Amino acid sequence: MRRPPRVLIALLALIIISASTVLTIKFAKGYRPSLSTKGLKGTGLLAANSYPRGASVFINEKLTTATDDTLNLPPGQYQVKIQKDGYITWEKTLKIEAELVTQTNTRLFPAVPTLTPVTFSGALNPLPAPDSQKIVFSVANATSDSKNGLYVLDLTDRPFGLNSDPRQITQTTSKYDLVSAKLTWSPDSAQILALVNEGEVNETNVLLDQSRFNDMAELKDVTARLPLILADWQEILDKKSHEKIAELPELMQQVATAAAALAFAPEPEKLLYIPTAEITLTENLGPPLPASSNQDEQRRLQPNNVYVYDLKEDKNFWIASAADLAKILWYSDSRHLLIVEDKKIILAEYDGTNRHTVYAGPFVGEFAYPWANGSSLLILASLNGGSALPPNLYSIILK
Protein backbone atom coordinates (compact mmCIF):
# COMPACT_ATOMS: atom_id res chain seq x y z
CA MET A 1 0.00 0.00 0.00
CA ARG A 2 1.48 3.26 -1.09
CA ARG A 3 1.84 6.03 1.51
CA PRO A 4 0.45 9.49 0.69
CA PRO A 5 3.17 11.81 -0.52
CA ARG A 6 4.59 14.06 2.16
CA VAL A 7 3.57 17.10 0.12
CA LEU A 8 -0.09 15.99 0.23
CA ILE A 9 0.08 15.45 3.99
CA ALA A 10 1.62 18.87 4.51
CA LEU A 11 -1.02 20.43 2.24
CA LEU A 12 -3.88 18.78 4.15
CA ALA A 13 -2.36 19.90 7.45
CA LEU A 14 -2.08 23.45 6.13
CA ILE A 15 -5.72 23.41 5.00
CA ILE A 16 -6.89 22.09 8.39
CA ILE A 17 -4.84 24.66 10.29
CA SER A 18 -6.04 27.49 8.04
CA ALA A 19 -9.66 26.42 8.35
CA SER A 20 -9.32 26.13 12.14
CA THR A 21 -7.76 29.57 12.30
CA VAL A 22 -10.58 31.09 10.23
CA LEU A 23 -13.22 29.36 12.37
CA THR A 24 -11.49 30.51 15.56
CA ILE A 25 -11.42 34.11 14.33
CA LYS A 26 -15.06 33.88 13.25
CA PHE A 27 -16.00 32.38 16.63
CA ALA A 28 -14.14 35.17 18.46
CA LYS A 29 -16.07 37.73 16.40
CA GLY A 30 -19.33 36.17 17.53
CA TYR A 31 -20.23 33.88 14.60
CA ARG A 32 -22.16 30.76 15.60
CA PRO A 33 -23.55 27.74 13.69
CA SER A 34 -27.06 28.35 12.37
CA LEU A 35 -29.51 25.60 11.41
CA SER A 36 -31.65 28.03 9.42
CA THR A 37 -28.79 29.16 7.16
CA LYS A 38 -26.82 25.90 7.46
CA GLY A 39 -23.69 27.96 8.03
CA LEU A 40 -22.24 30.53 10.38
CA LYS A 41 -24.39 33.45 11.48
CA GLY A 42 -22.99 36.68 12.91
CA THR A 43 -23.88 37.57 16.47
CA GLY A 44 -23.01 40.44 18.76
CA LEU A 45 -21.51 40.38 22.23
CA LEU A 46 -23.18 41.81 25.30
CA ALA A 47 -20.69 42.41 28.11
CA ALA A 48 -23.05 42.53 31.07
CA ASN A 49 -20.82 44.10 33.73
CA SER A 50 -21.81 45.89 36.90
CA TYR A 51 -20.51 47.40 40.10
CA PRO A 52 -21.03 45.76 42.49
CA ARG A 53 -20.71 42.40 40.77
CA GLY A 54 -22.99 39.42 41.07
CA ALA A 55 -26.20 41.12 39.95
CA SER A 56 -28.93 39.29 38.04
CA VAL A 57 -29.19 40.04 34.31
CA PHE A 58 -32.64 39.95 32.70
CA ILE A 59 -32.88 40.09 28.90
CA ASN A 60 -36.37 40.79 27.58
CA GLU A 61 -37.72 40.06 31.09
CA LYS A 62 -36.02 36.63 31.29
CA LEU A 63 -33.34 35.88 33.86
CA THR A 64 -30.34 35.01 31.69
CA THR A 65 -27.09 35.25 33.66
CA ALA A 66 -25.28 37.19 36.34
CA THR A 67 -22.72 39.96 36.04
CA ASP A 68 -19.92 39.90 35.03
CA ASP A 69 -20.55 37.77 31.95
CA THR A 70 -20.40 38.04 28.15
CA LEU A 71 -23.28 36.78 26.02
CA ASN A 72 -23.58 36.07 22.29
CA LEU A 73 -26.86 37.48 20.97
CA PRO A 74 -28.35 37.78 17.48
CA PRO A 75 -28.34 41.39 16.21
CA GLY A 76 -31.34 43.39 17.39
CA GLN A 77 -32.72 45.47 20.23
CA TYR A 78 -32.95 44.05 23.73
CA GLN A 79 -34.45 45.26 26.97
CA VAL A 80 -31.67 44.67 29.50
CA LYS A 81 -32.37 44.86 33.22
CA ILE A 82 -29.81 44.39 35.99
CA GLN A 83 -30.98 43.79 39.56
CA LYS A 84 -29.33 43.15 42.91
CA ASP A 85 -30.97 42.99 46.33
CA GLY A 86 -30.58 46.26 48.19
CA TYR A 87 -29.84 48.29 45.04
CA ILE A 88 -31.88 50.34 42.58
CA THR A 89 -32.67 48.44 39.38
CA TRP A 90 -30.80 49.47 36.20
CA GLU A 91 -32.67 49.16 32.91
CA LYS A 92 -31.90 50.18 29.33
CA THR A 93 -32.75 49.26 25.74
CA LEU A 94 -29.54 48.23 23.98
CA LYS A 95 -28.91 47.56 20.31
CA ILE A 96 -26.70 44.54 19.63
CA GLU A 97 -24.77 44.60 16.35
CA ALA A 98 -22.94 41.76 14.64
CA GLU A 99 -19.22 41.43 15.47
CA LEU A 100 -19.39 44.32 17.99
CA VAL A 101 -19.23 44.34 21.78
CA THR A 102 -21.86 46.33 23.69
CA GLN A 103 -21.11 46.96 27.36
CA THR A 104 -23.62 47.79 30.08
CA ASN A 105 -21.05 49.52 32.39
CA THR A 106 -23.71 49.47 35.09
CA ARG A 107 -23.25 51.33 38.37
CA LEU A 108 -25.84 50.20 40.91
CA PHE A 109 -26.76 52.60 43.70
CA PRO A 110 -28.10 51.55 47.13
CA ALA A 111 -31.89 51.60 47.48
CA VAL A 112 -31.62 52.61 51.15
CA PRO A 113 -28.99 55.32 51.79
CA THR A 114 -26.68 55.18 54.79
CA LEU A 115 -25.82 58.55 56.35
CA THR A 116 -22.61 59.13 58.27
CA PRO A 117 -21.77 62.49 59.92
CA VAL A 118 -18.59 64.12 58.67
CA THR A 119 -18.69 67.24 60.88
CA PHE A 120 -20.04 67.67 64.41
CA SER A 121 -19.73 71.42 65.16
CA GLY A 122 -21.58 72.68 62.12
CA ALA A 123 -20.46 73.48 58.58
CA LEU A 124 -21.43 76.85 57.10
CA ASN A 125 -21.09 78.04 53.50
CA PRO A 126 -19.32 74.96 52.08
CA LEU A 127 -17.44 75.70 48.84
CA PRO A 128 -15.87 72.98 46.61
CA ALA A 129 -12.42 73.57 45.10
CA PRO A 130 -11.91 73.66 41.30
CA ASP A 131 -10.01 70.36 41.41
CA SER A 132 -13.04 68.64 43.05
CA GLN A 133 -10.68 67.24 45.71
CA LYS A 134 -11.48 69.58 48.60
CA ILE A 135 -14.22 71.64 50.28
CA VAL A 136 -13.74 74.68 52.50
CA PHE A 137 -16.35 75.63 55.11
CA SER A 138 -16.61 77.72 58.26
CA VAL A 139 -17.31 76.65 61.83
CA ALA A 140 -18.86 79.00 64.40
CA ASN A 141 -20.25 76.63 67.03
CA ALA A 142 -17.20 74.71 68.28
CA THR A 143 -16.69 73.87 71.94
CA SER A 144 -13.98 76.54 72.20
CA ASP A 145 -13.40 79.81 70.34
CA SER A 146 -9.99 78.60 69.17
CA LYS A 147 -11.72 75.87 67.13
CA ASN A 148 -13.97 78.31 65.26
CA GLY A 149 -12.73 79.35 61.83
CA LEU A 150 -12.22 77.88 58.38
CA TYR A 151 -11.77 74.18 57.73
CA VAL A 152 -10.83 72.15 54.65
CA LEU A 153 -12.19 68.66 54.05
CA ASP A 154 -10.15 66.47 51.67
CA LEU A 155 -12.40 64.38 49.45
CA THR A 156 -9.75 61.80 48.58
CA ASP A 157 -9.61 58.48 50.42
CA ARG A 158 -6.66 57.60 52.60
CA PRO A 159 -5.11 54.08 52.72
CA PHE A 160 -7.22 51.22 54.12
CA GLY A 161 -10.45 53.02 53.16
CA LEU A 162 -10.13 55.69 55.85
CA ASN A 163 -11.34 59.22 55.21
CA SER A 164 -9.59 62.38 56.35
CA ASP A 165 -11.03 64.50 59.14
CA PRO A 166 -11.61 68.19 58.37
CA ARG A 167 -8.52 70.25 59.20
CA GLN A 168 -8.55 73.81 60.48
CA ILE A 169 -6.68 76.29 58.27
CA THR A 170 -7.37 79.51 60.20
CA GLN A 171 -9.09 80.80 63.32
CA THR A 172 -11.86 83.35 63.76
CA THR A 173 -10.84 86.45 65.76
CA SER A 174 -12.63 89.55 66.97
CA LYS A 175 -11.13 91.40 63.99
CA TYR A 176 -11.90 88.81 61.31
CA ASP A 177 -15.41 87.34 61.12
CA LEU A 178 -14.79 84.31 58.92
CA VAL A 179 -18.34 82.97 59.16
CA SER A 180 -19.67 85.68 56.86
CA ALA A 181 -16.47 85.96 54.78
CA LYS A 182 -16.74 85.67 51.01
CA LEU A 183 -14.46 82.83 49.90
CA THR A 184 -12.92 82.23 46.47
CA TRP A 185 -10.67 79.34 45.48
CA SER A 186 -7.61 79.96 43.31
CA PRO A 187 -7.68 78.11 39.94
CA ASP A 188 -5.04 75.61 41.16
CA SER A 189 -6.99 74.93 44.39
CA ALA A 190 -3.91 75.84 46.46
CA GLN A 191 -5.15 79.12 47.95
CA ILE A 192 -8.37 80.62 49.26
CA LEU A 193 -9.13 84.33 49.00
CA ALA A 194 -11.16 85.47 52.01
CA LEU A 195 -13.02 88.78 51.79
CA VAL A 196 -13.76 89.78 55.38
CA ASN A 197 -16.07 92.57 56.56
CA GLU A 198 -17.24 93.30 53.04
CA GLY A 199 -18.48 96.86 52.54
CA GLU A 200 -17.24 98.06 55.93
CA VAL A 201 -14.45 100.48 56.73
CA ASN A 202 -12.20 97.63 57.85
CA GLU A 203 -12.84 95.48 54.76
CA THR A 204 -9.90 93.10 54.31
CA ASN A 205 -8.78 90.56 51.71
CA VAL A 206 -6.36 87.82 52.72
CA LEU A 207 -4.88 84.85 50.89
CA LEU A 208 -4.94 81.58 52.82
CA ASP A 209 -2.79 78.53 52.13
CA GLN A 210 -5.22 75.60 52.17
CA SER A 211 -2.50 73.08 53.05
CA ARG A 212 -1.60 74.50 56.51
CA PHE A 213 -2.84 76.55 59.44
CA ASN A 214 -2.75 80.31 58.74
CA ASP A 215 -2.30 82.83 61.56
CA MET A 216 -4.62 85.73 60.67
CA ALA A 217 -2.42 88.16 62.62
CA GLU A 218 0.50 87.42 60.31
CA LEU A 219 -1.39 87.65 57.02
CA LYS A 220 -1.11 90.73 54.82
CA ASP A 221 -4.08 92.58 53.39
CA VAL A 222 -3.98 92.09 49.59
CA THR A 223 -6.80 94.53 48.80
CA ALA A 224 -4.43 96.81 46.86
CA ARG A 225 -3.37 93.91 44.65
CA LEU A 226 -6.82 92.37 44.42
CA PRO A 227 -7.60 93.49 40.82
CA LEU A 228 -4.32 91.96 39.60
CA ILE A 229 -4.89 88.72 41.51
CA LEU A 230 -8.42 88.28 40.19
CA ALA A 231 -7.34 89.18 36.64
CA ASP A 232 -4.55 86.57 36.76
CA TRP A 233 -6.95 83.93 38.08
CA GLN A 234 -9.51 84.70 35.41
CA GLU A 235 -6.84 84.48 32.72
CA ILE A 236 -5.87 81.01 33.94
CA LEU A 237 -9.50 79.87 33.98
CA ASP A 238 -10.11 81.25 30.49
CA LYS A 239 -6.99 79.52 29.17
CA LYS A 240 -8.03 76.16 30.61
CA SER A 241 -11.53 76.54 29.20
CA HIS A 242 -10.26 77.54 25.75
CA GLU A 243 -7.89 74.55 25.66
CA LYS A 244 -10.76 72.15 26.35
CA ILE A 245 -13.14 73.88 23.93
CA ALA A 246 -10.48 73.72 21.20
CA GLU A 247 -10.74 69.90 21.29
CA LEU A 248 -14.39 70.07 20.20
CA PRO A 249 -15.61 70.04 16.58
CA GLU A 250 -15.87 73.54 15.11
CA LEU A 251 -19.66 73.79 15.39
CA MET A 252 -19.59 72.64 19.02
CA GLN A 253 -16.85 75.18 19.73
CA GLN A 254 -19.27 77.92 18.69
CA VAL A 255 -22.05 76.46 20.85
CA ALA A 256 -19.75 76.02 23.87
CA THR A 257 -18.26 79.51 23.59
CA ALA A 258 -21.72 81.11 23.67
CA ALA A 259 -23.22 78.69 26.24
CA ALA A 260 -24.99 80.05 29.31
CA ALA A 261 -23.39 77.31 31.40
CA LEU A 262 -20.51 75.00 30.64
CA ALA A 263 -18.92 72.12 32.56
CA PHE A 264 -16.54 69.48 31.27
CA ALA A 265 -16.60 66.06 32.90
CA PRO A 266 -13.60 65.01 35.03
CA GLU A 267 -12.63 62.97 31.96
CA PRO A 268 -13.06 65.89 29.54
CA GLU A 269 -14.47 64.03 26.53
CA LYS A 270 -17.98 64.93 27.74
CA LEU A 271 -19.51 68.40 28.01
CA LEU A 272 -22.52 69.56 30.04
CA TYR A 273 -23.94 72.79 28.64
CA ILE A 274 -26.94 75.10 28.19
CA PRO A 275 -27.10 76.67 24.70
CA THR A 276 -28.19 80.28 24.29
CA ALA A 277 -29.61 79.95 20.77
CA GLU A 278 -31.55 77.45 18.70
CA ILE A 279 -29.23 75.46 16.46
CA THR A 280 -29.08 72.03 14.83
CA LEU A 281 -25.95 69.94 15.22
CA THR A 282 -25.12 68.32 11.90
CA GLU A 283 -24.41 64.59 11.78
CA ASN A 284 -20.89 63.17 11.84
CA LEU A 285 -19.12 66.08 13.52
CA GLY A 286 -16.48 63.50 14.38
CA PRO A 287 -15.39 60.14 12.94
CA PRO A 288 -17.91 57.30 13.55
CA LEU A 289 -17.05 54.95 16.40
CA PRO A 290 -17.96 51.22 16.38
CA ALA A 291 -20.36 50.10 19.13
CA SER A 292 -21.10 53.67 20.17
CA SER A 293 -24.14 54.59 22.27
CA ASN A 294 -27.44 53.84 20.57
CA GLN A 295 -29.61 55.83 22.98
CA ASP A 296 -31.93 58.50 21.60
CA GLU A 297 -30.13 61.71 20.69
CA GLN A 298 -31.30 65.31 20.45
CA ARG A 299 -29.30 67.34 17.94
CA ARG A 300 -31.79 70.19 17.59
CA LEU A 301 -30.76 72.47 20.44
CA GLN A 302 -33.17 74.75 22.25
CA PRO A 303 -32.18 77.56 24.66
CA ASN A 304 -32.73 76.99 28.40
CA ASN A 305 -32.28 73.22 28.04
CA VAL A 306 -29.47 71.14 29.46
CA TYR A 307 -27.55 68.82 27.14
CA VAL A 308 -24.53 66.54 27.29
CA TYR A 309 -22.26 66.26 24.25
CA ASP A 310 -20.02 63.19 24.03
CA LEU A 311 -16.98 64.22 22.00
CA LYS A 312 -15.64 60.68 21.72
CA GLU A 313 -18.82 59.28 20.17
CA ASP A 314 -20.25 62.50 18.64
CA LYS A 315 -23.54 62.03 20.51
CA ASN A 316 -25.72 64.74 22.01
CA PHE A 317 -28.28 63.98 24.72
CA TRP A 318 -31.07 66.08 26.20
CA ILE A 319 -31.03 65.97 30.00
CA ALA A 320 -33.68 68.37 31.31
CA SER A 321 -35.11 71.85 31.16
CA ALA A 322 -32.84 74.21 33.09
CA ALA A 323 -35.92 75.78 34.69
CA ASP A 324 -36.77 72.48 36.40
CA LEU A 325 -33.37 72.04 38.06
CA ALA A 326 -32.02 73.56 41.23
CA LYS A 327 -28.55 72.18 40.60
CA ILE A 328 -26.74 69.90 38.15
CA LEU A 329 -23.09 68.86 37.99
CA TRP A 330 -20.90 65.96 36.93
CA TYR A 331 -20.49 62.96 39.18
CA SER A 332 -16.94 61.79 39.81
CA ASP A 333 -17.02 58.88 37.34
CA SER A 334 -17.84 61.09 34.31
CA ARG A 335 -20.67 58.67 33.47
CA HIS A 336 -23.30 60.13 35.78
CA LEU A 337 -24.85 63.50 36.57
CA LEU A 338 -25.81 64.71 40.02
CA ILE A 339 -29.14 66.53 39.86
CA VAL A 340 -31.00 68.40 42.61
CA GLU A 341 -34.66 68.63 41.67
CA ASP A 342 -37.87 68.96 43.73
CA LYS A 343 -35.87 68.70 46.98
CA LYS A 344 -34.48 65.33 45.88
CA ILE A 345 -30.98 64.23 44.92
CA ILE A 346 -30.94 62.29 41.67
CA LEU A 347 -28.17 60.42 39.88
CA ALA A 348 -28.65 59.90 36.14
CA GLU A 349 -26.50 58.47 33.39
CA TYR A 350 -24.94 61.06 31.10
CA ASP A 351 -27.30 60.06 28.27
CA GLY A 352 -30.31 60.97 30.42
CA THR A 353 -31.36 57.39 31.20
CA ASN A 354 -31.64 55.66 34.57
CA ARG A 355 -32.63 58.72 36.61
CA HIS A 356 -32.76 57.44 40.17
CA THR A 357 -33.46 59.29 43.41
CA VAL A 358 -30.69 58.33 45.82
CA TYR A 359 -31.76 60.67 48.63
CA ALA A 360 -35.09 62.35 49.42
CA GLY A 361 -34.53 63.35 53.05
CA PRO A 362 -33.86 66.81 54.46
CA PHE A 363 -30.85 68.79 53.30
CA VAL A 364 -29.90 72.46 53.40
CA GLY A 365 -29.28 74.96 50.63
CA GLU A 366 -29.43 72.36 47.85
CA PHE A 367 -25.83 71.47 48.71
CA ALA A 368 -24.83 68.06 47.37
CA TYR A 369 -21.38 67.11 46.16
CA PRO A 370 -19.68 63.83 45.20
CA TRP A 371 -16.69 62.30 46.92
CA ALA A 372 -13.67 62.27 44.60
CA ASN A 373 -13.84 58.52 43.92
CA GLY A 374 -17.64 58.44 43.69
CA SER A 375 -18.02 56.17 46.73
CA SER A 376 -20.06 58.72 48.68
CA LEU A 377 -22.12 61.84 48.33
CA LEU A 378 -21.80 64.83 50.64
CA ILE A 379 -24.86 66.77 51.76
CA LEU A 380 -25.45 69.61 54.21
CA ALA A 381 -28.28 68.76 56.58
CA SER A 382 -29.84 69.52 59.96
CA LEU A 383 -30.98 66.23 61.46
CA ASN A 384 -31.34 67.38 65.07
CA GLY A 385 -35.11 67.85 65.20
CA GLY A 386 -35.59 71.59 64.82
CA SER A 387 -32.64 72.52 67.04
CA ALA A 388 -31.02 75.92 66.59
CA LEU A 389 -27.69 74.21 65.99
CA PRO A 390 -26.11 74.79 62.57
CA PRO A 391 -26.27 72.09 59.86
CA ASN A 392 -23.50 69.54 59.43
CA LEU A 393 -21.93 67.71 56.51
CA TYR A 394 -23.08 64.11 56.08
CA SER A 395 -21.79 61.39 53.80
CA ILE A 396 -24.29 59.23 51.90
CA ILE A 397 -22.59 55.90 51.22
CA LEU A 398 -23.15 54.80 47.61
CA LYS A 399 -21.08 51.63 47.40
Side-chain angles (χ1 to χ4, degrees), residues 117-144:
V118 177
T119 64
F120 298 90
S121 300
L124 304 174
N125 307 319
L127 180 66
D131 65 1
S132 305
Q133 306 290 306
K134 298 173 282 290
I135 286 180
V136 62
F137 61 91
S138 59
V139 171
N141 201 57
T143 53
S144 65

Short mmCIF file of all heavy atoms in Angstrom, two decimals, residues 117-144:
data_model
loop_
_atom_site.label_atom_id
_atom_site.label_comp_id
_atom_site.label_asym_id
_atom_site.label_seq_id
_atom_site.Cartn_x
_atom_site.Cartn_y
_atom_site.Cartn_z
N PRO A 117 -22.18 61.09 59.71
CA PRO A 117 -21.77 62.49 59.92
C PRO A 117 -20.28 62.68 59.63
O PRO A 117 -19.46 61.85 59.99
CB PRO A 117 -22.09 62.74 61.40
CG PRO A 117 -22.12 61.38 62.03
CD PRO A 117 -22.58 60.43 60.97
N VAL A 118 -19.97 63.77 58.97
CA VAL A 118 -18.59 64.12 58.67
C VAL A 118 -18.11 65.24 59.59
O VAL A 118 -16.94 65.27 59.98
CB VAL A 118 -18.45 64.55 57.19
CG1 VAL A 118 -17.03 64.98 56.87
CG2 VAL A 118 -18.87 63.41 56.27
N THR A 119 -19.00 66.16 59.93
CA THR A 119 -18.69 67.24 60.88
C THR A 119 -19.65 67.15 62.06
O THR A 119 -20.75 66.60 61.94
CB THR A 119 -18.79 68.61 60.21
OG1 THR A 119 -20.16 68.85 59.80
CG2 THR A 119 -17.88 68.71 59.00
N PHE A 120 -19.23 67.75 63.20
CA PHE A 120 -20.04 67.67 64.41
C PHE A 120 -20.28 69.04 65.05
O PHE A 120 -21.10 69.16 65.95
CB PHE A 120 -19.35 66.75 65.43
CG PHE A 120 -19.20 65.35 64.95
CD1 PHE A 120 -18.07 64.95 64.25
CD2 PHE A 120 -20.19 64.41 65.17
CE1 PHE A 120 -17.93 63.66 63.79
CE2 PHE A 120 -20.06 63.10 64.72
CZ PHE A 120 -18.93 62.72 64.02
N SER A 121 -19.58 70.07 64.59
CA SER A 121 -19.73 71.42 65.16
C SER A 121 -20.34 72.38 64.15
O SER A 121 -20.20 73.59 64.28
CB SER A 121 -18.36 71.95 65.62
OG SER A 121 -17.80 71.11 66.61
N GLY A 122 -20.98 71.84 63.14
CA GLY A 122 -21.58 72.68 62.12
C GLY A 122 -20.65 72.89 60.94
O GLY A 122 -19.42 72.78 61.06
N ALA A 123 -21.24 73.19 59.79
CA ALA A 123 -20.46 73.48 58.58
C ALA A 123 -21.26 74.53 57.80
O ALA A 123 -22.33 74.23 57.28
CB ALA A 123 -20.26 72.22 57.75
N LEU A 124 -20.73 75.74 57.74
CA LEU A 124 -21.43 76.85 57.10
C LEU A 124 -20.75 77.22 55.78
O LEU A 124 -19.52 77.19 55.67
CB LEU A 124 -21.47 78.06 58.03
CG LEU A 124 -22.09 77.83 59.41
CD1 LEU A 124 -21.94 79.06 60.29
CD2 LEU A 124 -23.56 77.45 59.28
N ASN A 125 -21.57 77.55 54.79
CA ASN A 125 -21.09 78.04 53.50
C ASN A 125 -20.04 77.13 52.85
O ASN A 125 -18.96 77.59 52.47
CB ASN A 125 -20.52 79.46 53.64
CG ASN A 125 -21.48 80.41 54.32
OD1 ASN A 125 -22.67 80.38 54.04
ND2 ASN A 125 -20.97 81.24 55.23
N PRO A 126 -20.31 75.84 52.70
CA PRO A 126 -19.32 74.96 52.08
C PRO A 126 -19.08 75.33 50.61
O PRO A 126 -20.02 75.65 49.88
CB PRO A 126 -19.95 73.56 52.20
CG PRO A 126 -21.42 73.83 52.33
CD PRO A 126 -21.55 75.13 53.06
N LEU A 127 -17.81 75.29 50.20
CA LEU A 127 -17.44 75.70 48.84
C LEU A 127 -16.44 74.70 48.27
O LEU A 127 -15.30 74.61 48.76
CB LEU A 127 -16.84 77.11 48.86
CG LEU A 127 -16.41 77.68 47.50
CD1 LEU A 127 -17.62 77.89 46.60
CD2 LEU A 127 -15.63 78.97 47.69
N PRO A 128 -16.80 73.95 47.22
CA PRO A 128 -15.87 72.98 46.61
C PRO A 128 -14.74 73.70 45.87
O PRO A 128 -14.91 74.79 45.33
CB PRO A 128 -16.75 72.20 45.64
CG PRO A 128 -18.16 72.45 46.07
CD PRO A 128 -18.15 73.84 46.65
N ALA A 129 -13.57 73.05 45.83
CA ALA A 129 -12.42 73.57 45.10
C ALA A 129 -12.54 73.22 43.62
O ALA A 129 -13.23 72.27 43.25
CB ALA A 129 -11.13 72.99 45.67
N PRO A 130 -11.86 73.96 42.74
CA PRO A 130 -11.91 73.66 41.30
C PRO A 130 -11.43 72.26 40.94
O PRO A 130 -11.89 71.69 39.94
CB PRO A 130 -10.99 74.73 40.70
CG PRO A 130 -11.00 75.85 41.67
CD PRO A 130 -11.12 75.20 43.01
N ASP A 131 -10.51 71.69 41.73
CA ASP A 131 -10.01 70.36 41.41
C ASP A 131 -10.92 69.24 41.91
O ASP A 131 -10.61 68.05 41.75
CB ASP A 131 -8.59 70.16 41.96
CG ASP A 131 -8.54 70.20 43.48
OD1 ASP A 131 -9.60 70.36 44.14
OD2 ASP A 131 -7.42 70.08 44.04
N SER A 132 -12.05 69.61 42.55
CA SER A 132 -13.04 68.64 43.05
C SER A 132 -12.48 67.73 44.13
O SER A 132 -13.08 66.70 44.45
CB SER A 132 -13.60 67.79 41.90
OG SER A 132 -14.14 68.61 40.89
N GLN A 133 -11.34 68.09 44.71
CA GLN A 133 -10.68 67.24 45.71
C GLN A 133 -10.85 67.76 47.14
O GLN A 133 -10.50 67.07 48.09
CB GLN A 133 -9.18 67.14 45.41
CG GLN A 133 -8.84 66.68 44.01
CD GLN A 133 -9.16 65.23 43.79
OE1 GLN A 133 -8.73 64.36 44.54
NE2 GLN A 133 -9.94 64.95 42.76
N LYS A 134 -11.41 68.95 47.28
CA LYS A 134 -11.48 69.58 48.60
C LYS A 134 -12.72 70.45 48.72
O LYS A 134 -13.27 70.90 47.71
CB LYS A 134 -10.24 70.47 48.84
CG LYS A 134 -8.92 69.74 48.84
CD LYS A 134 -7.75 70.69 48.91
CE LYS A 134 -7.44 71.33 47.58
NZ LYS A 134 -6.89 70.37 46.60
N ILE A 135 -13.13 70.70 49.99
CA ILE A 135 -14.22 71.64 50.28
C ILE A 135 -13.80 72.48 51.47
O ILE A 135 -13.28 71.95 52.46
CB ILE A 135 -15.53 70.88 50.60
CG1 ILE A 135 -16.14 70.31 49.32
CG2 ILE A 135 -16.54 71.80 51.26
CD1 ILE A 135 -17.42 69.54 49.54
N VAL A 136 -14.00 73.79 51.37
CA VAL A 136 -13.74 74.68 52.50
C VAL A 136 -15.08 75.09 53.10
O VAL A 136 -16.08 75.26 52.38
CB VAL A 136 -12.94 75.93 52.06
CG1 VAL A 136 -13.70 76.76 51.04
CG2 VAL A 136 -12.56 76.78 53.27
N PHE A 137 -15.13 75.20 54.42
CA PHE A 137 -16.35 75.63 55.11
C PHE A 137 -15.95 76.31 56.41
O PHE A 137 -14.80 76.20 56.88
CB PHE A 137 -17.29 74.45 55.36
CG PHE A 137 -16.71 73.37 56.24
CD1 PHE A 137 -16.86 73.39 57.62
CD2 PHE A 137 -16.00 72.31 55.67
CE1 PHE A 137 -16.32 72.40 58.42
CE2 PHE A 137 -15.45 71.31 56.46
CZ PHE A 137 -15.61 71.36 57.84
N SER A 138 -16.90 77.02 57.00
CA SER A 138 -16.61 77.72 58.26
C SER A 138 -17.34 77.06 59.41
O SER A 138 -18.40 76.45 59.24
CB SER A 138 -17.01 79.20 58.15
OG SER A 138 -18.39 79.32 57.86
N VAL A 139 -16.75 77.19 60.59
CA VAL A 139 -17.31 76.65 61.83
C VAL A 139 -17.44 77.79 62.82
O VAL A 139 -16.49 78.55 63.03
CB VAL A 139 -16.42 75.53 62.41
CG1 VAL A 139 -16.90 75.13 63.80
CG2 VAL A 139 -16.41 74.32 61.48
N ALA A 140 -18.62 77.92 63.44
CA ALA A 140 -18.86 79.00 64.40
C ALA A 140 -19.44 78.50 65.71
O ALA A 140 -19.78 79.30 66.58
CB ALA A 140 -19.80 80.05 63.79
N ASN A 141 -19.57 77.17 65.86
CA ASN A 141 -20.25 76.63 67.03
C ASN A 141 -19.41 75.55 67.72
O ASN A 141 -19.95 74.62 68.31
CB ASN A 141 -21.61 76.05 66.61
CG ASN A 141 -22.58 75.94 67.75
OD1 ASN A 141 -22.88 76.92 68.41
ND2 ASN A 141 -23.06 74.73 68.00
N ALA A 142 -18.08 75.69 67.65
CA ALA A 142 -17.20 74.71 68.28
C ALA A 142 -17.23 74.85 69.80
O ALA A 142 -17.72 75.84 70.35
CB ALA A 142 -15.78 74.88 67.75
N THR A 143 -16.67 73.86 70.48
CA THR A 143 -16.69 73.87 71.94
C THR A 143 -15.80 74.95 72.53
O THR A 143 -15.97 75.35 73.68
CB THR A 143 -16.24 72.50 72.47
OG1 THR A 143 -14.97 72.16 71.87
CG2 THR A 143 -17.26 71.43 72.12
N SER A 144 -14.83 75.44 71.75
CA SER A 144 -13.98 76.54 72.20
C SER A 144 -13.78 77.51 71.04
O SER A 144 -13.80 77.11 69.88
CB SER A 144 -12.63 76.04 72.71
OG SER A 144 -11.89 75.45 71.67
#
